[in-house]
Amino acid sequence: MHKKSVAPTFYSGPARRPASSPSSDDVFLTLQKWTADRSLHLMELPDDVLYLLFRYLDLTSLGRLCQVCRKLRRLIQTDSVWLPFSKHQLVIRQQGRPLQCRTCLPSLKEQCRMASNWTKGINREITIVRHHSRQLPWMQYDEIDSKMMWVSTGESINCYQVLSNGLFQEDKRRKLGPLHGDVTRFVVKDSLVVSGCREGSLFGWHSDTGKRLFCYVNVHTEDTQCVDFHGDLMVSGSRDATLKILSIEEQYNRNPIRTTLRAEDRVWSVSMAPDGSTFASGSAGCNSSYPLIIWDLCKGVMDCSLGQDHRRGAGILDLKYETPDILLSCGYDSYLRLWDLRTEKCEMMWEEPFDSAVYCVKTDGDCAMLTGTARHGMTRLWDKRAPKSVQLYYAGHRSSPVYSLAFDCSHLYLALDISISMLDFSVYK
């Protein structure tokens, strides 16, 4: 009598590969035994075996296999298939965004596709806001509601809803201002909007209702160039070479200034550490040999000074804390620097090849960094793991500095002198 052949038993769980998936040798031996008595068809294989086979395919083969049938397309679109590819690409992350918005993120397959567009410079430019006169705008995502973007225009700060296609729709109910002078820089976090203006004053609003919380006039004798806050403490810097530590609480509204710190030069930028223990200030670098200083927020004294190797006049235009110990700085000397505050040294530096001042820097909290330069609406994409830039982008069709920028995994927003431009990286080739 002939023995009845028995088909082997495979794992038939959910679509995702189990933690203990069979090795390639086990799969080969199993398939060899199965095909000895019958012909084998690809679609008869269990899902976990298909996932293992996908690991041996390149991007082109996976793309072609997606067009075979709906089942293969569904399996290939799962994140487990694209995780190995994402490790070898500069995928733009969306760190620091609310958890409730993470579910709205594109699939890992889409993120890898858009990462390829970022690297190759494939995008579509759209002018989404146009100014009537030349401005020095500042722009920032709302950290609480990632679908809101705040943009300064003259004496006001406008709020825009970011639509699904990346375009803006103005929310006129939350327009802030007018201030006593043009807006210099502002910060949006913890449901607050805090702004400085050229008249030397500081203003604060509730970001949800637009209600003004405080108005501190004549805090500085000259322009309030920069501002940041953490908890109930706020720091501002000015052209009058002073730094002010102020209280945001209502009981201190009559006399909000807690400490006045004397800088040796005009202050262009400030940034507070995520834990609120320290803050950094960047000066013009003309009268001081140290344009970058770290201050103890609680004691109101200098903690350490950095940047002795900066050229004279190579001031710090923008600062960004990644962690309480890691700080990014950029400025007039065309360098982007990464500082380790534990060693008080510059651990890495990247040079702008066209010797142009770097006006602003943003990071995704992982490996991607974007810098805006002083000419031609030019922005560069950097990878922390590489010494040279990955790609550069031009926007605005005229020579304008990139005063500020914001981005997510699919769109890059640039604040230029007469417009806000969007580069859309979700386009198909």
Side-chain angles (χ1 to χ4, degrees):
M1 294 178 65
H2 295 286
K3 294 183 179 181
K4 184 178 180 181
S5 59
V6 180
T9 303
F10 290 90
Y11 173 81
S12 59
R16 292 182 177 273
R17 291 176 57 245
S20 59
S21 60
S23 65
S24 57
D25 294 336
D26 295 337
V27 173
F28 178 76
L29 292 175
T30 303
L31 294 179
Q32 193 176 34
K33 293 178 182 179
W34 196 11
T35 55
D37 299 322
R38 55 170 293 180
S39 60
L40 176 68
H41 299 284
L42 178 66
M43 300 311 298
E44 296 178 6
L45 295 175
D47 291 352
D48 60 337
V49 178
L50 291 175
Y51 279 123
L52 182 60
L53 296 177
F54 294 158
R55 295 173 57 183
Y56 296 92
L57 301 180
D58 57 14
L59 290 175
T60 303
S61 301
L62 285 174
R64 292 173 178 171
L65 201 58
C66 279
Q67 303 176 13
V68 174
C69 66
R70 293 180 180 178
K71 178 182 177 180
L72 290 177
R73 182 181 180 87
R74 174 178 57 83
L75 295 178
I76 292 175
Q77 285 183 340
T78 57
D79 289 351
S80 60
V81 177
W82 295 91
L83 185 60
F85 296 99
S86 67
K87 295 179 180 179
H88 301 286
Q89 286 185 291
L90 183 60
V91 177
I92 308 298
R93 311 293 180 181
Q94 296 191 174
Q95 299 293 328
R97 307 293 287 279
L99 291 176
Q100 60 268 25
C101 299
R102 301 284 175 87
T103 56
C104 303
L105 292 178
S107 64
L108 193 56
K109 172 181 177 292
E110 274 296 292
Q111 293 184 48
C112 289
R113 183 185 69 81
M114 291 185 289
S116 177
N117 288 347
W118 281 88
T119 303
K120 297 177 181 178
I122 301 173
N123 60 75
R124 177 184 58 175
E125 180 182 354
I126 301 175
T127 300
I128 53 179
V129 177
R130 189 174 295 277
H131 308 308
H132 298 293
S133 59
R134 298 182 67 179
Q135 306 284 332
L136 285 87
W138 194 252
M139 176 172 54
Q140 184 184 334
Y141 265 115
D142 193 320
E143 292 189 359
I144 300 298
D145 186 355
S146 65
K147 295 182 180 180
M148 291 296 177
M149 182 79 76
W150 298 85
V151 181
S152 64
T153 305
E155 299 178 351
S156 302
I157 301 175
N158 300 321
C159 182
Y160 297 93
Q161 181 183 359
V162 182
L163 305 179
S164 58
N165 58 2
L167 300 180
F168 287 179
Q169 181 177 343
E170 185 175 3
D171 186 352
K172 296 184 178 180
R173 298 173 300 175
R174 290 200 276 183
K175 183 173 182 177
L176 309 180
L179 279 67
H180 297 167
D182 287 347
V183 177
T184 51
R185 290 196 184 185
F186 63 88
V187 182
V188 184
K189 58 184 177 182
D190 300 334
S191 299
L192 292 178
V193 181
V194 176
S195 172
C197 69
R198 290 192 174 277
E199 186 262 346
S201 302
L202 291 168
F203 293 81
W205 301 267
H206 195 285
S207 61
D208 293 334
T209 62
K211 177 183 177 181
R212 193 167 77 177
L213 302 177
F214 60 83
C215 171
Y216 302 153
V217 298
N218 300 324
V219 175
H220 295 279
T221 58
E222 296 188 40
D223 300 352
T224 304
Q225 290 287 64
C226 47
V227 63
D228 199 359
F229 69 94
H230 183 276
D232 62 342
L233 291 179
M234 175 172 53
V235 176
S236 64
S238 171
R239 293 172 61 96
D240 62 7
T242 64
L243 290 156
K244 301 292 181 74
I245 301 178
L246 306 96
S247 176
I248 302 179
E249 295 182 2
E250 295 183 0
Q251 59 264 34
Y252 296 100
N253 282 355
R254 293 185 178 181
N255 186 21
I257 300 176
R258 292 191 175 185
T259 308
T260 299
L261 303 174
R262 300 290 176 181
E264 298 181 15
D265 213 334
R266 294 166 293 176
V267 181
W268 291 136
S269 56
V270 296
S271 180
M272 298 186 73
D275 60 359
S277 60
T278 62
F279 71 93
S281 67
S283 64
C286 296
N287 302 325
S288 172
S289 58
Y290 295 96
L292 180 56
I293 298 177
I294 308 300
W295 304 84
D296 189 305
L297 184 62
C298 298
K299 299 179 181 179
V301 297
M302 184 177 69
D303 191 9
C304 63
S305 54
L306 308 171
Q308 189 177 13
D309 57 340
H310 282 57
R311 298 193 303 267
R312 177 178 172 81
I316 307 296
L317 294 175
D318 198 13
L319 296 166
K320 172 66 177 177
Y321 271 96
E322 288 204 302
T323 69
D325 299 316
I326 301 298
L327 177 69
L328 290 170
S329 70
C330 62
Y332 281 117
D333 67 345
S334 74
Y335 279 94
L336 171 63
R337 291 179 170 87
L338 185 146
W339 303 88
D340 190 335
L341 303 184
R342 294 164 295 188
T343 61
E344 300 180 7
K345 293 182 180 180
C346 177
E347 299 297 337
M348 299 181 69
M349 56 192 304
W350 301 267
E351 183 180 10
E352 166 57 46
F354 294 160
D355 194 29
S356 179
V358 183
Y359 270 47
C360 56
V361 58
K362 285 289 191 302
T363 173
D364 67 347
D366 192 17
C367 293
M369 302 180 295
L370 283 158
T371 55
T373 59
R375 294 185 178 181
H376 310 298
M378 186 177 70
T379 308
R380 282 192 184 271
L381 173 64
W382 305 84
D383 189 338
K384 290 180 183 177
R385 302 163 293 186
K388 296 182 179 180
S389 66
V390 176
Q391 188 57 263
L392 61 87
Y393 319 103
Y394 293 98
H397 308 289
R398 57 173 289 150
S399 183
S400 166
V402 178
Y403 293 105
S404 180
L405 60 88
F407 67 94
D408 54 28
C409 63
S410 55
H411 300 96
L412 171 61
Y413 301 96
L414 305 175
L416 309 177
D417 56 358
I418 63 170
S419 65
I420 303 295
S421 293
M422 178 189 73
L423 302 184
D424 183 4
F425 292 91
S426 63
V427 296
Y428 288 87
K429 300 179 183 179

